[in-house]
Amino acid sequence: MIALLVIMLSVSACTRTNSPAPADGLNSRLLPGSSGKYEKPVTLSIGITVDTNKSLLPGETLLDNQYTRNIKEKLNIIIDYAFKASPANYSQKVSLAVASGDLPDAMVVGPLELREMVEADQLMDMTEVYHKYASPVIKRIVDSTGGEALNSVTFDGKILALPNVQLSADGVHLLWIRKDWLDKLGLAPPETMAQLEAVARAFVLEDPDGNGKQDTIGLAGPSSTGRLYANFLQSTNNMYGLDGIFSAYHAYPGYWLEKGGEVVYGSIQPETKEALGKLREMYLAGLIDPEMGVREAPGEAVAGGITGMFFGPWWAPYGPVDDAVKNNPDANWQAYALPLDGNGEYRPHMSSSTNQFLVVRKGYSYPEAAMLIMNNLVLGESEGIFTTERGPTEYPLRLTYAQVDETEYEVKALRQVLAGTRTAQDYLDKPEYKMLQSDIAHIGPVKLKPYDQYDIQYWDPDQDRAMWIRGYALMVGGSPLVDDEINGVYSATYSLTPTMETSWSRLQRLEDETFLKIILGGAPLAAFDQFVSEWTRQGGEQITREVNDPET
């Protein structure tokens, strides 16, 4: 409680730089003939996520880096920070800012916070901004969702936020494995749950790193503030979750599922109980990270060479895999669409096309600045301006704008270019795949022959570290999405119902705490049945009715 109060005071104490009021209409603020550069400097105070697992490039700071310099040069916008937080703590910072009413000029929020800010009348109407300033490429990408993205931010006919459009690949949590450890122990990638347990046990007991100590982790688990699995509100990018194991049991906790002609909540289904029982068994046998639930940064164990497997999206080389290879050039991390279910199928849960929103506080003098910064990001990505060595995660106010099949399309295109069957010229009519031309131009030096082999020895990261990260993520992380049959399971809804707006946080906390206790052995598996009863009684039954009949 004391810590919470200190944080609230800190948020309130932050000095926000208020920009001067505009003297004229929107266009008069921008230089004539520019693509969005202000005549005079404009300051934008934001909230930002800072990944402490990744260091800044040499000589750079949060206020002075490749992104802030580019935004100042191209747009004459000066970035200031109202608050910064780790990925694990960012939502808490946002919630505190919303509750206190002391908002940054702009920030990225999730669906729950967006609803809260709409109800509190805290948001600028972005309707004119979007229609007048969004670049043609962004509009093309947003339109590709068939209206889903704009509908998610439209309230009473007004666009109150800028929606992201995310890759479907971000919602598939692949099994990343130290293949060099598999080879050393004479093991194959685990196709079944029984094989996955056997691999985890070997990684724990058979000294795969060869240091003579029993100090390795079979399977990583979520951090102290991480999620056990993605859910219908946060359906992507759940690094170190246990999504793959739930899916192997046809369990989709956190998702709304079509079942017997009705929509049911996945977390209260018997398949979820069965999966929890297996996870509990694996954890108590030492096959899952013993520090799961208290470890602050599972990525450090991956980078440090003591973790053998984790679940994560295709882009993992932007995160811990890069550091792991820096520390050990032979660390051969490979990605697989595994484990399979009892029928030999891969059935992961799938994501919505949008789940993050860029909001501008009501009263901010330059709401179009947020849209201009997004235009600049997409343009910079397409021109290869920003190095991808650190990834674009710290671009101010970054939202993903990508064709939903961007990863899969790029994998296929790069394979054809490397094989010599197509050239960059063949893709000039695809500007919505905004990084493709840059990737084609630069992947050559880092991908060694044979081009259809993706083990670590067939890459040369030292030629171009940034391109290696990008190429390794695409070809290693993206290939299972192209080569394997994905029988994905979608949520029946990715939106909130009226009762969810007031009850979901409490129900989610009940679910998270109960499931974690069961897995860690702090509660018996029978606690699941009590959870189902409590969840239903505390609002779940009404919410289920609302999901099945929105007019309820």
Side-chain angles (χ1 to χ4, degrees), residues 322-442:
D322 173 35
D323 288 330
V325 175
K326 279 181 181 173
N327 293 331
N328 177 6
D330 296 324
N332 186 20
W333 280 102
Q334 295 292 308
Y336 301 88
L338 296 173
L340 307 177
D341 67 9
N343 300 319
E345 296 181 347
Y346 184 63
R347 297 175 56 84
H349 57 61
M350 305 299 285
S351 63
S352 63
S353 62
T354 182
N355 69 351
Q356 287 191 311
F357 311 97
L358 172 51
V359 295
V360 177
R361 69 173 173 86
K362 197 170 189 177
Y364 178 59
S365 300
Y366 301 94
E368 72 282 355
M371 190 74 255
L372 299 178
I373 287 176
M374 291 302 98
N375 292 344
N376 188 62
L377 169 63
V378 172
L379 179 64
E381 289 178 334
S382 66
E383 295 180 345
I385 291 174
F386 307 121
T387 174
T388 54
E389 183 171 350
R390 281 197 34 74
T393 54
E394 288 175 1
Y395 183 91
L397 300 174
R398 179 179 183 273
L399 287 182
T400 298
Y401 281 109
Q403 290 291 105
V404 294
D405 67 339
E406 182 179 281
T407 301
E408 296 89 335
Y409 189 91
E410 280 231 11
V411 170
K412 295 175 183 175
L414 290 175
R415 285 179 177 179
Q416 291 174 319
V417 170
L418 288 168
T421 58
R422 301 193 74 177
T423 69
Q425 297 293 317
D426 296 319
Y427 300 98
L428 290 178
D429 62 341
K430 298 292 183 183
E432 63 270 33
Y433 297 98
K434 53 191 185 301
M435 299 181 72
L436 180 56
Q437 289 295 326
S438 175
D439 292 340
I440 290 173
H442 297 102

Side-chain angles (χ1 to χ4, degrees), residues 132-196:
K132 194 168 186 177
Y133 291 98
S135 72
V137 170
I138 285 183
K139 286 183 175 176
R140 192 168 172 173
I141 292 171
V142 170
D143 290 346
S144 72
T145 68
E148 182 181 356
L150 281 183
N151 287 340
S152 68
V153 294
T154 301
F155 299 87
D156 295 329
K158 298 177 181 177
I159 297 175
L160 296 185
L162 303 176
N164 73 336
V165 179
Q166 58 195 358
L167 299 74
S168 63
D170 287 353
V172 180
H173 299 88
L174 302 163
L175 180 61
W176 287 84
I177 310 179
R178 280 289 297 266
K179 187 166 180 283
D180 52 318
W181 286 12
L182 288 177
D183 294 340
K184 180 179 179 180
L185 301 178
L187 298 169
E191 294 190 355
T192 67
M193 273 302 303
Q195 292 171 354
L196 187 144

Side-chain angles (χ1 to χ4, degrees), residues 325 442-449 455-469 472:
V325 175
H442 297 102
I443 195 171
V446 300
K447 182 66 190 82
L448 307 178
K449 293 181 178 179
D455 286 335
I456 191 66
Q457 63 266 34
Y458 302 119
W459 297 84
D460 189 351
D462 293 336
Q463 289 290 327
D464 183 341
R465 194 82 199 180
M467 187 61 233
W468 173 75
I469 292 171
Y472 200 76

